[in-house]
Amino acid sequence: MALRRRPLLLLLLVFPMLRYQILAVELISTNVNPVVQEFQRVELSCIIASTKTADPRIEWKKIGNKETSYVYFKNKLQGDWAHRAQLLSRTSLVIYNVTRADKAVYRCEVAAHEDTRIGAEISINLTVHVKPVAPKCRVPQSVPVGKSATLHCQEKEGFPEPTYNWYRNSEMLPLDSKSSSKFQNSSFKVDTKTGLLVFSEVQKGDSGRYSCRAMNAVGDAWCDDMEMEVYDLNIAAIVGGILVVIGVLSLTTVGICCAYRKGLFVNNKQNGNSYKTPAKPDGVNYIRTDEEGDFRHKSSFVI
Ligand SMILES: *[C@@H]1O[C@H](CO)[C@@H](O)[C@H](O)[C@H]1NC(C)=O
Ligand SMILES: *[C@@H]1O[C@H](CO)[C@@H](O)[C@H](O)[C@H]1NC(C)=O
Ligand SMILES: *[C@@H]1O[C@H](CO)[C@@H](O)[C@H](O)[C@H]1NC(C)=O
C-alpha cells in the first residue's frame, strides 16, 4: 500500500497544477453584468459550484478607478456596507438601495481556508441606471422673422445619458421640420443627442410655448415650457411709423407753442412800438404785417 501511494505523492510534488485542480474552488455567477436602477436592490451573484473545503474564506472587494476597498472581509461587512448590504447564501452580495456611487466592478474571492493560494475569483460589473432630473432649457424670448434661433436643453444626472425631444404647445416636434407636412413652413432640426433645437429661419408660426423632455432607459423629465415670440418685421415698421408720427406731432406742438409765444411777444412789442409808429412810418407796415401774421396764427389755432 505504502509503495503504491508514493508515486501519487511524487506526482503531487512534480505537478502542482494537479494538486490545485484537486482542491480548486469553482465559482459561478448568474449575472456578471447586473444593471440596476438607482435606489433599488441588487444581488451580486457569486456561487461556490464546488470546493473540497468545508470552511472557505470569502471576500468581496470593490475595484474602483483609483482604489480598491473591502466590502466583505474577515467574515464582516466593512464600513457603511454593514447597513447597506448583506451576504446571501453565504457568498452572494445583496446591496439594498444602490446609489450611483456604487457603480463599479466587484470581485468575489473565495479561498480554501487552509491554503489561501488556492482559490477562485469572479468579477461582477455593476451598472447603475439613474433617472434624469428636469433638464435646463434656454429659449430666446423673442426673435424677428427670418433670423436663426437656437434652443438649448441639457440634463446631467441621468445615466445612461438621456436623449432629448422638443415640444411646442405640448406637441412633439419632428427631428426635421421638412419631414412633416404639418411643419412644412418651419425650418428647424432637433438633435436628440445634444438637445439643440435649431431654427435656420424663424417663421411667424414658430411662436409658441416650448418645452423639452430628457429621457433614458429608466425615466424622463421635462423643463418648464417657455414662450418664444416671433415678431414680424412689418410690425417693426408699423411701430417705427407710429414713432415717426408721434415725433412729427410733438415737433408740430412745439412749433405751435413757440409760434404762439412769439405771437404774444410780438403783441407786446406792437403795443410798445405803437408809440413809436409816428417816428418810423416804415415800421408801421412792418408791424402791420406782423399783426396780420399773428392774427393768422391765432385764427389757425382756433380752427
Ligand atoms: C436610499 O439612499 C438615499 C441616498 O443615500 C437616501 O436618500 C434614501 O433615503 C435611501 N432610501 C432608502 C429606502 O433607504
Ligand atoms: C462594465 O460595463 C459597462 C457597461 O456595459 C462597460 O461600459 C464597462 O466597460 C464595463 N467595465 C468593465 C471594467 O468591464
Ligand atoms: C404654409 O404657408 C402657406 C402660405 O403662407 C399657407 O397657405 C399654409 O397654410 C401654411 N401651412 C401650414 C401647415 O401652416
Side-chain angles (χ1 to χ4, degrees):
M1 287 291 279
L3 276 169
R4 264 189 199 173
R5 279 178 77 180
R6 213 165 265 158
L8 184 63
L9 257 169
L10 265 172
L11 208 68
L12 284 176
L13 289 170
V14 174
F15 302 105
M17 283 302 293
L18 192 66
R19 189 163 153 249
Y20 280 153
Q21 261 177 19
I22 290 163
L23 296 171
V25 176
E26 212 183 304
L27 294 177
I28 54 166
S29 176
T30 58
N31 187 2
V32 291
N33 290 299
V35 177
V36 67
Q37 198 177 321
E38 194 174 33
F39 308 128
Q40 293 192 347
R41 169 194 184 277
V42 70
E43 180 182 332
L44 308 185
S45 161
C46 174
I47 300 157
I48 299 174
S50 74
T51 177
K52 290 279 185 265
T53 166
D55 186 20
R57 197 189 69 185
I58 298 149
E59 285 175 10
W60 273 97
K61 284 174 188 161
K62 181 182 179 182
I63 319 294
N65 290 330
K66 289 168 194 156
E67 53 165 30
T68 294
S69 60
Y70 276 111
V71 175
Y72 185 79
F73 181 61
K74 288 190 173 165
N75 294 321
K76 258 176 73 181
L77 283 159
Q78 303 294 306
D80 75 326
W81 290 105
H83 316 290
R84 313 183 41 224
Q86 224 168 15
L87 244 58
L88 186 76
S89 312
R90 202 156 79 157
T91 40
S92 287
L93 182 71
V94 174
I95 307 172
Y96 302 99
N97 194 12
V98 167
T99 70
R100 59 197 77 181
D102 295 331
K103 175 176 127 57
V105 170
Y106 293 81
R107 199 160 66 211
C108 170
E109 299 177 4
V110 176
H113 215 243
E114 318 86 74
D115 189 343
T116 52
R117 286 178 305 158
I118 304 157
E121 59 181 49
I122 201 162
S123 288
I124 314 284
N125 183 1
L126 175 63
T127 302
V128 181
H129 282 178
V130 180
K131 282 185 191 176
V133 296
K136 294 222 181 337
C137 293
R138 278 193 285 141
V139 175
Q141 271 187 344
S142 65
V143 187
V145 166
K147 291 279 185 240
S148 65
T150 303
L151 284 67
H152 300 253
C153 178
Q154 203 169 37
E155 197 278 342
K156 284 181 173 163
E157 304 283 311
F159 186 86
E161 279 186 14
T163 57
Y164 304 92
N165 279 115
W166 277 95
Y167 290 73
R168 174 162 75 211
N169 304 327
S170 308
E171 186 183 359
M172 195 174 110
L173 299 179
L175 302 190
D176 188 335
S177 57
K178 298 299 171 223
S179 69
S180 155
S181 59
K182 204 170 171 208
F183 297 93
Q184 206 71 56
N185 290 349
S186 289
S187 60
F188 62 76
K189 283 203 167 86
V190 175
D191 188 327
T192 56
K193 279 210 166 74
T194 59
L196 295 183
L197 165 57
V198 179
F199 291 89
S200 51
E201 253 182 62
V202 165
Q203 297 304 319
K204 205 80 183 79
D206 294 328
S207 300
R209 298 196 69 80
Y210 284 84
S211 134
C212 163
R213 178 194 192 200
M215 180 174 54
N216 69 9
V218 283
D220 65 343
W222 299 74
C223 65
D224 288 339
D225 57 356
M226 279 182 273
E227 185 89 32
M228 182 174 89
E229 188 205 347
V230 178
Y231 62 90
D232 209 326
L233 286 173
N234 292 338
I235 286 178
I238 290 166
V239 169
I242 288 169
L243 284 176
V244 167
V245 169
I246 289 171
V248 167
L249 278 176
S250 40
L251 278 175
T252 313
T253 313
V254 168
I256 289 169
C257 205
C258 288
Y260 189 66
R261 276 193 192 163
K262 201 179 170 191
L264 280 177
F265 180 65
V266 169
N267 266 344
N268 289 339
K269 207 179 171 188
Q270 185 199 338
N271 292 338
N273 279 348
S274 55
Y275 294 105
K276 290 175 184 173
T277 31
K280 278 184 179 178
D282 278 2
V284 179
N285 285 336
Y286 187 71
I287 286 156
R288 277 180 65 94
T289 324
D290 255 22
E291 202 175 37
E292 270 176 27
D294 187 35
F295 178 74
R296 271 187 205 131
H297 273 304
K298 270 183 180 168
S299 57
S300 74
F301 189 70
V302 168
I303 290 159

